[in-house]
Amino acid sequence: MLRVDLHIHSRFSDSSKTIEEVMKEADEKNIDYISFVDHDTTETIDYVRKIQDKFKVRVLPGVEISAYDFKRKRKVHILCYNYRKTDHIESICSELLDRRNKNSMAQIYKLTELGYEIDKDKLIRSINSKRTLYKQHIMDYICDYDFNDERYTKLYKSLFKNGGPLQMDIEYVDAFDALKACLLDGGIPVLAHPGELDSFEIAEELAKEGLKGIEVEHFSHSPEDVERAKDLAKKYDLIQTSGSDDHGRFGKKADMGYEVLEDSHIERLISD
């Protein structure tokens, strides 16, 4: 049996955890493989390679691309693993990060209009080269509540959801363009948490265009979501992946690590 977690974030995007903290935890839990799939950046793996020898856990290159299903008007996240180059991925991701920063600064401006005093120099940002600012960083600045605290949820929804003043979003890349970019760079495209984003319908269309995997185990998935993802995997011979979607204190409490058979889907990710 192998223990894996193929959906983890770090400070290179919107997690509170450093690379070292995640890898140390993975070693303590005897996890064999992990993948950092930081949003719209491949810079994470470059840093990992510099410190890899200090840890036992092996790290599979990964990235989570913020995409969109324009046909159904829904977000779609594409995980890309084990890419051989980054030309096409970075081409679309660089623009996404620029849009993210512009959107976040517009949200900061709205907050100042609402009476919040914000020192922009004291905002925690991602450590990628774009110094990306996410809404998690904004929430961390304006409140001291834990992500799982009801007060955090109430404030977040009042600002970022339900017609709140900060409910604005970036223009996402088309899901099929994200899929193509991953394939052109020699990567293995996997549909992230289809149950959470209700992206089961586009999964079949993506599978016909080269999608190679689907995330089955995810904290947001109901038992029905898991079975539906497994059914799609069997129908289209898709790799089945699992991930905690750990964001540290910026996200839901995550339990890192899933058990898989040695001769199953992780082997396909490593060898393809």
Side-chain angles (χ1 to χ4, degrees):
M1 299 285 285
L2 286 174
R3 280 182 60 77
V4 306
D5 195 318
L6 302 178
H7 194 146
I8 300 175
H9 296 277
S10 78
R11 285 204 61 208
F12 274 85
S13 64
D14 57 347
S15 172
S16 66
K17 288 185 178 179
T18 65
I19 298 292
E20 289 87 351
E21 287 174 328
V22 173
M23 294 180 73
K24 182 174 182 288
E25 182 179 349
D27 276 356
E28 291 171 350
K29 293 185 175 181
N30 294 312
I31 296 175
D32 298 288
Y33 285 93
I34 63 172
S35 185
F36 291 100
V37 290
D38 283 315
H39 295 283
D40 308 316
T41 180
T42 60
E43 294 177 20
T44 315
I45 194 64
D46 295 330
Y47 182 84
V48 168
R49 285 168 177 152
K50 296 176 184 177
I51 63 168
Q52 177 73 79
D53 292 343
K54 299 178 182 179
F55 301 91
K56 294 183 298 180
V57 65
R58 288 160 286 183
V59 181
L60 191 69
V63 59
E64 185 170 13
I65 303 175
S66 306
Y68 202 74
D69 177 357
F70 286 92
K71 180 179 177 180
R72 300 170 185 86
K73 296 183 170 58
R74 299 171 190 165
K75 293 180 182 179
V76 179
H77 287 186
I78 303 292
L79 301 164
C80 182
Y81 296 109
N82 218 14
Y83 40 80
R84 303 298 190 264
K85 57 181 182 176
T86 62
D87 301 20
H88 298 87
I89 296 170
E90 283 298 330
S91 177
I92 61 175
C93 285
S94 178
E95 180 63 27
L96 283 168
L97 293 183
D98 286 339
R99 293 174 193 168
R100 180 79 64 189
N101 273 334
K102 185 177 180 180
N103 188 73
S104 294
M105 291 313 298
Q107 291 171 325
I108 291 294
Y109 180 76
K110 283 281 188 182
L111 281 175
T112 60
E113 286 188 324
L114 292 172
Y116 286 87
E117 294 184 6
I118 298 178
D119 185 339
K120 297 175 184 177
D121 293 330
K122 292 183 179 180
L123 282 164
I124 295 175
R125 288 173 172 264
S126 305
I127 61 172
N128 62 51
S129 60
K130 297 281 189 178
R131 299 290 292 160
T132 316
L133 182 66
Y134 286 85
K135 57 189 175 184
Q136 289 89 340
H137 300 132
I138 297 173
M139 284 294 295
D140 184 64
Y141 186 92
I142 65 175
C143 79
D144 296 323
Y145 309 134
D146 181 82
F147 181 90
N148 298 294
D149 191 305
E150 288 183 5
R151 292 169 294 180
Y152 181 104
T153 302
K154 184 178 180 179
L155 178 61
Y156 174 79
K157 288 183 176 179
S158 70
L159 291 173
F160 293 92
K161 301 289 184 181
N162 306 317
L166 307 189
Q167 188 173 356
M168 54 185 79
D169 215 335
I170 68 171
E171 179 185 346
Y172 294 96
V173 65
D174 186 278
F176 293 94
D177 290 338
L179 175 72
K180 183 179 179 181
C182 180
L183 291 170
L184 286 171
D185 285 344
I188 301 171
V190 173
L191 182 64
H193 41 65
E196 181 177 53
L197 296 180
D198 192 15
S199 49
F200 283 110
E201 290 179 76
I202 196 174
E204 303 217 27
E205 296 171 8
L206 291 168
K208 294 172 183 176
E209 297 297 325
L211 185 74
K212 294 187 178 181
I214 188 167
E215 192 169 47
V216 174
E217 299 288 347
H218 185 267
F219 75 84
S220 69
H221 280 185
S222 66
E224 292 76 20
D225 291 331
V226 171
E227 288 308 309
R228 194 172 178 185
K230 286 182 176 180
D231 288 342
L232 282 169
K234 292 173 183 175
K235 182 177 180 179
Y236 293 102
D237 190 29
L238 301 176
I239 300 168
Q240 297 180 37
T241 69
S242 304
S244 62
D245 208 350
D246 185 9
H247 284 77
R249 63 185 175 85
F250 291 167
K252 290 184 180 292
K253 183 174 175 55
D255 187 13
M256 189 187 297
Y258 295 82
E259 290 187 350
V260 296
L261 295 173
E262 268 190 58
D263 60 352
S264 68
H265 305 278
I266 182 64
E267 297 298 330
R268 289 177 61 188
L269 277 176
I270 298 166
S271 60
D272 279 4

